[in-house]
Amino acid sequence: MKTLIIAEKPDMGRTIAAVVEPRAQNKRTYLEGERYIITWAIGHLVGLAEPDQYDPKYKRWNEADLPIIPDRFKLWPNARTKDQLKTIGELSKRCGRLVNACDAGREGQLIFHLIRQYLKLPQPTDRLWISDLTPETIRRGFDGLRSDTDFDDLTRAARARSEADWLVGMNASRAFTIRHKALLSVGRVQTPVLALLYDRHKEITAFNSETYFIVQAAFTQDDFGYKGIWQGDRITKREEAEKLAAKVKGKPGTIVSYTVNESKEYPYRLYDLTLLQREANGRYGYPAKKTLDIAQALYEKHKVITYPRTSSNYVTEENIPVMGSVLNMLKGTAYADLANGADRSRVHKGNRAVCNPAKVEDHHAILPTPKKPGTLSTEEQNIYDMIVRRFLSHYYPPAVYNNHEVITEVEGESFRTRAKEQLELGWRVVLEQTEANAAKGKGKGKKKDDDASAAVEGDEDLVETDRPFSVDADRPVRCDDASAVEKETKPPKPYTEGTLLKAMESAGKAIEDEELRDAMKQTGLGTPATRAATIERLKQVGYITSAGKRLDITTKGCTAIELIRGAGVELLASPEMTGRWEQRLHQISKGEASDEQFIAKVKQFAEMIVGKVKQQQQAPASLFDEPDGGGKRGAKGKGRGAAASARKAGGTAPRAGTRSRGAAAADSAPVASRGRPSARTGASDGGRMLAAPVEAAPASRAKAPAAASRPKTEGRATKPAPANGEGSAGSRGTIAACPRPGCGGQLIEGKRGYGCLRFREGCGFVIWKEQQGKHVTPAMAKALAENGVTRKSTFKLADGTAVSGKWTLTDPAKGTIAFQPAT
């Protein structure tokens, strides 16, 4: 009998067939040769069943039915790919052996074994475990096929991960959604990632910028000039800085200290997927998912790079000869000059910056393959170019610098100069000019921290140059000029996809438990293969939006984190839980822990979550207002309320926090009353949609959508319009006269603020409801408008402490207010 090979995707299946059965007949959904039949899975053909596939009662989301804890998990075929699943079942009947040729990793193992379990395939199975799709690698892989039973522990870990995500995501999402009557998606990975964005948002909004001044002086010694920064305590008054500048300007000086140290800068690490995504986002603005899709096409379709879903930056000894073949191939491409200038002796098994088998688990770093690239799209060429240049850099020597530090004294005042002088370009010759310019100043191969919370004053006097820098410490200098330069401390930067990926990768650093930190070193939050999908998921459910490269958390996203933490299940929003899970899953994959015991504990955790949420007080509907724009929606049809109405009408609603003229109008638009979601919501971090409508109010129960219509409504939550016009501006009435001088308009309450009805005539007055983490009520807004100050109030801060004080109207023209704590 023949052997059935099951690849993960069609391109992979056809590539494998071209090697093992070059004369195979193409039957559209499979290829058949003399020895092998090759077909494919098209991703997840089979998944865990939805709750209503256990019991129809779960179609209605009812708090009394929670938690949902299956005794035994059921499998369910993907309706969109059931024909391909049927094909695999029919082909298997003609075969006496199977080969699992899905991606060599945990998810690939899961995809194959769910198919095998659902179809009840009894045949003995071999495992093809390869890292690229070149003919040579495929042949070696088939020559060294291993029994699939050798990977049983990895299969158990993959299944445990899937079931655990289902238990937590399904129960937590339903519990929070039902309790708060708003579609709330909760997941083991997505929720801690959302918490990162929430905490950064809070840091930015709480940040108080401070102005300070530096004094910069320009010195000359003969015909050589250099600059220095005054050394002393921070200056906060302009007149003090200007006085100091005037003191030294035009005066002679002496060099009291001059040191020179040589340093070497070695090539950056080879790419893993997360590093590739981060740098592609920074350089080209590509979202993480786009970079993954491009890399996957370079791997599957073009076969010009190795397996991209890797977490390693190193290779093994077996890769060294293949890297030599790649270098030979590049000599016949546009990279010929760089390939010919490469020093082969630099890449060897003793070079731990490249070859480090201890740091390679399932797959080595992303490398070019020996296959010469054909026609690539511009985007594919960009990613391929990054990978090739990073590869080539390791065949070149380090860049060499002289680091100069000069202390110059004038009128008793000290000024420091630091200069980084390039002596040898070294491996930087492989960088494109734009990349080389962007990389300047990163120092010793390390990037500046994108997340620095303030300006790094220590770098203000650092000058980089490829020209000779030389002063004579024994000769005098002159201060030709000096000036006071105003500076401002900077808040933490909002996350971009690139910096968020970095934070996800290193999330374990925030964990105090050393053992857990070690468990997360290899994974962080999510895996390289799933991080892009997690970010997309957060967009789809309305938790975050993108504005250019920046990621913004929405009101709904903030509310979700606050509710989760407030319910007493803050572990859901902490990387600690993911750390514990990854630690245990890794042990399961190595045969060191029981998957059954792991799932039993996860079931207990799911029950605990449901119990805590049931006791939580329902949140006000206003906390779930959707964003009004300012970024892309994650998927079609996810927008709701005023924002969705604005887009339907061809208009654009302003983003939360902006103070445009139309802000008050947009926020004062009629708001539909909040009904319970009546569509499928997603809870798993793998992007699966978890079905069943929420139990509606007793007066009008929501009906479950027909099975045929479900794909159209995935991820949506409908909001019925109020029957009595509730929520319109007219029904709310006016709060007070607009205090803007000369306006004469009236203030009304909107979704996010209290704005003037005369906005179309140019009035930009608005008092935002959310101020410094506190909520401004209509009564407070009225007092501010009429009296310019509120009565004394007490607020509870995030840490539980209470603070008393009053709000005061500081700008009657704009509506700016400030909170003054009671003394």
Side-chain angles (χ1 to χ4, degrees):
M1 296 180 77
K2 296 181 179 181
T3 295
L4 178 64
I5 300 172
I6 302 176
E8 190 160 321
K9 295 178 182 176
D11 279 348
M12 296 173 64
R14 295 187 183 102
T15 300
I16 291 170
V19 176
V20 299
E21 284 284 9
R23 296 182 181 178
Q25 291 182 304
N26 190 342
K27 304 287 188 178
R28 194 174 66 83
T29 56
Y30 65 96
L31 296 102
E32 183 166 359
E34 294 180 0
R35 297 175 56 202
Y36 297 105
I37 299 175
I38 304 97
T39 189
W40 37 82
I42 324 179
H44 284 269
L45 300 185
V46 178
L48 298 181
E50 303 289 355
D52 60 288
Q53 288 152 354
Y54 290 88
D55 191 324
K57 72 178 182 180
Y58 293 132
K59 286 183 179 179
R60 298 186 186 279
W61 286 25
N62 190 339
E63 192 172 71
D65 292 331
L66 297 180
I68 303 171
I69 309 289
D71 292 329
R72 186 180 183 85
F73 282 91
K74 292 183 180 180
L75 301 184
W76 207 262
N78 185 328
R80 290 174 294 179
T81 54
K82 62 182 180 181
D83 289 343
Q84 184 64 19
L85 183 64
K86 182 179 178 182
T87 296
I88 293 175
E90 292 172 347
L91 293 174
S92 68
K93 295 173 183 177
R94 299 197 282 121
C95 298
R97 196 168 193 86
L98 306 176
V99 173
N100 175 5
C102 292
D103 280 355
R106 192 167 71 185
E107 282 307 296
Q109 202 70 6
L110 180 65
I111 286 171
F112 176 86
H113 278 274
L114 291 182
I115 293 171
R116 187 183 186 195
Q117 180 183 345
Y118 183 79
L119 294 176
K120 297 181 174 62
L121 305 182
Q123 296 91 334
T125 303
D126 292 321
R127 184 57 159 113
L128 176 68
W129 193 275
I130 56 177
S131 290
D132 66 66
L133 292 171
T134 57
E136 296 80 5
T137 300
I138 292 171
R139 290 190 191 98
R140 283 200 306 270
F142 272 90
D143 288 342
L145 285 175
R146 295 170 59 185
S147 170
D148 191 71
T149 58
D150 292 348
F151 298 86
D152 281 350
D153 292 331
L154 182 61
T155 304
R156 279 190 283 272
R159 195 185 303 275
R161 194 281 308 159
S162 177
E163 293 176 357
D165 277 343
W166 191 101
L167 286 164
V168 171
M170 189 70 68
N171 284 290
S173 293
R174 288 194 175 211
F176 279 103
T177 296
I178 294 168
R179 169 58 46 177
H180 301 292
K181 298 183 174 65
L183 196 62
L184 293 174
S185 178
V186 181
R188 166 180 77 96
V189 176
Q190 73 174 44
T191 302
V193 174
L194 183 62
L196 291 175
L197 288 153
Y198 174 87
D199 291 339
R200 175 59 55 85
H201 167 72
K202 288 298 182 184
E203 288 177 38
I204 293 171
T205 54
F207 184 83
N208 291 317
S209 181
E210 295 180 3
T211 299
Y212 66 97
F213 298 86
I214 63 170
V215 177
Q216 187 177 71
F219 303 102
T220 56
Q221 187 180 72
D222 297 333
D223 59 349
F224 183 77
Y226 64 96
K227 293 183 178 181
I229 301 294
W230 179 76
Q231 301 297 292
D233 295 335
R234 175 178 286 184
I235 301 174
T236 57
K237 296 181 179 179
R238 180 184 295 275
E239 56 270 23
E240 185 179 338
E242 290 177 342
K243 182 179 178 181
L244 198 154
K247 176 183 178 182
V248 300
K249 185 176 180 179
K251 302 295 177 63
T254 57
I255 296 175
V256 297
S257 172
Y258 177 34
T259 58
V260 184
N261 295 305
E262 184 179 281
S263 65
K264 293 182 179 180
E265 180 181 278
Y266 290 88
Y268 302 144
R269 295 173 299 165
L270 293 169
Y271 284 120
D272 62 9
L273 177 59
T274 302
L275 185 58
L276 180 66
Q277 289 170 318
R278 282 168 45 194
E279 295 197 7
N281 179 256
R283 191 175 307 170
Y284 301 113
Y286 295 165
K289 184 178 185 303
K290 183 171 187 175
T291 299
L292 174 57
D293 291 343
I294 294 170
Q296 201 68 24
L298 292 171
Y299 166 66
E300 291 180 9
K301 180 181 177 183
H302 300 286
K303 290 90 178 174
V304 294
I305 68 169
T306 58
Y307 185 69
R309 298 171 184 248
T310 175
S311 60
S312 177
N313 304 102
Y314 303 92
V315 302
T316 64
E317 296 175 6
E318 290 77 13
N319 300 121
I320 302 297
V322 180
M323 293 174 72
S325 300
V326 174
L327 196 60
N328 290 335
M329 178 274 293
L330 292 173
K331 291 180 179 180
T333 68
Y335 302 97
D337 289 345
L338 293 174
N340 286 323
D343 181 358
R344 288 175 177 269
S345 67
R346 291 192 169 274
V347 176
H348 53 83
K349 65 181 182 180
N351 181 351
R352 283 293 177 260
V354 178
C355 183
N356 196 337
K359 294 187 177 182
V360 179
E361 289 213 1
D362 293 341
H363 297 282
H364 56 72
I366 303 173
L367 300 172
T369 68
K371 184 180 185 298
K372 187 177 293 187
T375 303
L376 303 177
S377 70
T378 300
E379 292 172 341
E380 289 171 340
Q381 179 60 43
N382 287 341
I383 298 300
Y384 182 69
D385 182 74
M386 290 174 64
I387 294 168
V388 168
R389 290 180 185 274
R390 184 61 57 94
F391 166 83
L392 285 169
S393 69
H394 287 273
Y395 287 91
Y396 280 80
V400 181
Y401 300 89
N402 265 347
N403 300 288
H404 304 260
E405 182 171 295
V406 183
I407 302 296
T408 307
E409 192 172 279
V410 182
E411 295 292 305
E413 305 293 345
S414 295
F415 295 81
R416 184 175 70 171
T417 302
R418 291 192 300 150
K420 186 177 181 182
E421 177 192 1
Q422 187 176 80
L423 302 179
E424 297 176 22
L425 190 58
W427 64 272
R428 285 186 170 275
V429 71
V430 309
L431 301 180
E432 286 186 308
Q433 191 60 42
T434 53
E435 184 182 352
N437 290 339
K440 274 191 175 183
K442 291 175 180 175
K444 298 185 180 180
K446 295 180 181 179
K447 294 185 174 184
K448 286 182 180 178
D449 190 353
D450 295 320
D451 302 327
S453 61
V456 182
E457 295 172 61
D459 285 346
E460 288 170 341
D461 61 348
L462 178 63
V463 176
E464 298 198 18
T465 179
D466 54 6
R467 298 177 181 178
F469 183 97
S470 178
V471 295
D472 188 340
D474 297 325
R475 300 183 59 209
V477 300
R478 179 177 176 79
C479 178
D480 292 335
D481 193 17
S483 59
V485 181
E486 183 175 323
K487 295 282 185 177
E488 192 175 55
T489 57
K490 304 294 184 184
K493 293 181 180 180
Y495 279 118
T496 64
E497 289 207 18
T499 57
L500 182 60
L501 286 167
K502 178 182 178 183
M504 292 170 72
E505 189 176 38
S506 59
K509 291 180 180 178
I511 297 176
E512 294 183 4
D513 188 294
E514 185 175 349
E515 191 176 356
L516 289 182
R517 277 204 311 272
D518 290 341
M520 290 189 72
K521 280 182 180 177
Q522 298 299 320
T523 56
L525 290 173
T527 65
T530 62
R531 286 178 187 136
T534 298
I535 295 173
E536 291 303 308
R537 179 76 189 134
L538 292 172
K539 294 176 184 176
Q540 290 167 4
V541 298
Y543 286 161
I544 65 173
T545 61
S546 57
K549 291 183 182 179
R550 190 184 72 234
L551 295 175
D552 293 326
I553 187 169
T554 65
T555 302
K556 181 180 178 182
C558 289
T559 301
I561 292 299
E562 289 166 357
L563 289 175
I564 288 166
R565 288 175 170 170
V569 289
E570 57 275 7
L571 196 60
L572 268 176
S574 164
E576 183 177 347
M577 185 180 75
T578 291
R580 292 188 183 280
W581 282 30
E582 290 301 338
Q583 179 188 45
R584 190 52 51 88
L585 290 169
H586 183 74
Q587 291 170 343
I588 293 169
S589 71
K590 299 298 181 184
E592 300 168 357
S594 164
D595 54 319
E596 293 180 354
Q597 291 179 6
F598 171 71
I599 290 297
K601 290 189 176 296
V602 173
K603 288 179 178 180
Q604 293 174 5
F605 184 54
E607 291 173 350
M608 183 271 286
I609 293 171
V610 170
K612 294 273 191 180
V613 177
K614 284 182 178 180
Q615 298 171 16
Q616 192 172 30
Q617 184 176 354
Q618 182 181 327
S622 60
L623 295 180
F624 302 102
D625 287 339
E626 292 293 331
D628 289 342
K632 296 177 182 177
R633 299 300 304 171
K636 184 178 179 181
K638 302 296 187 297
R640 310 201 311 234
S645 301
R647 283 191 289 273
K648 280 184 180 179
T652 303
R655 179 172 55 82
T658 59
R659 294 178 181 267
S660 65
R661 284 187 176 184
D667 288 350
S668 299
V671 182
S673 65
R674 301 279 168 180
R676 295 192 181 185
S678 59
R680 295 155 67 96
T681 178
S684 81
D685 292 299
R688 290 176 60 254
M689 308 302 290
L690 305 181
V694 178
E695 180 202 28
S700 57
R701 289 192 170 271
K703 294 183 179 180
S709 67
R710 278 182 176 171
K712 295 182 180 179
T713 60
E714 282 187 352
R716 295 184 193 168
T718 58
K719 295 190 298 180
N724 59 357
E726 179 188 349
S728 68
S731 67
R732 295 187 183 195
T734 59
I735 293 175
C738 178
R740 181 173 175 265
C743 175
Q746 295 290 318
L747 298 186
I748 63 168
E749 180 182 359
K751 287 191 298 179
R752 298 197 314 274
Y754 308 95
C756 181
L757 281 172
R758 300 190 67 177
F759 66 92
R760 288 191 177 89
E761 299 168 46
C763 182
F765 184 94
V766 58
I767 298 174
W768 300 103
K769 290 182 178 179
E770 296 302 319
Q771 300 271 357
Q772 302 172 35
K774 306 176 184 68
H775 186 73
V776 178
T777 66
M780 292 177 180
K782 181 178 181 180
L784 286 164
E786 293 179 346
N787 307 317
V789 64
T790 66
R791 291 187 300 173
K792 182 177 177 182
S793 303
T794 301
F795 299 91
K796 183 170 285 188
L797 301 179
D799 61 3
T801 59
V803 58
S804 297
K806 299 179 181 180
W807 290 105
T808 59
L809 183 64
T810 58
D811 189 345
K814 296 181 180 178
T816 306
I817 66 175
F819 183 74
Q820 295 184 343
T823 56

